Amino acid sequence: AGDTVKLWAGPRMGEPCTICGGTIGTATEYELDFAAPVVTLLLHPRCYAIWNEERRRGTSTSAEEVL
C-alpha cells in the first residue's frame, strides 16, 4: 500500500503543490499517482526532488504520510 503507481512530468497547470502549498509556477510539475489509497500528488520540481531523495534513503514516503 502507498506505492507509486505512475509518475508524470509535464507542463504546469497552475495548481498548488501538495507538499508546500505554493502555486506551481515552474515550467514543469510532477504528478505522482498512488493506488492505495487512491491519491494524486502535484509537486514542484524541488519538492519532488526532496520527496524522491527521502524515498531513496528509505524514509517513509507513503501518500498518507505526505498528506
Side-chain angles (χ1 to χ4, degrees):
D3 291 335
T4 306
V5 175
K6 293 182 182 177
L7 167 65
W8 306 92
R12 72 176 186 266
M13 303 296 285
E15 298 293 326
C17 176
T18 305
I19 302 290
C20 72
T23 300
I24 300 172
T26 55
T28 303
E29 73 178 22
Y30 287 88
E31 178 179 317
L32 294 135
D33 295 329
F34 291 84
V38 177
V39 174
T40 296
L41 307 178
L42 300 175
L43 307 174
H44 289 105
R46 174 88 175 128
C47 291
Y48 170 75
I50 293 167
W51 175 87
N52 196 40
E53 182 62 30
E54 293 299 313
R55 180 187 64 82
R56 288 180 182 181
R57 287 187 199 169
T59 305
S60 181
T61 56
S62 73
E64 294 168 315
E65 292 179 5
V66 170
L67 303 173

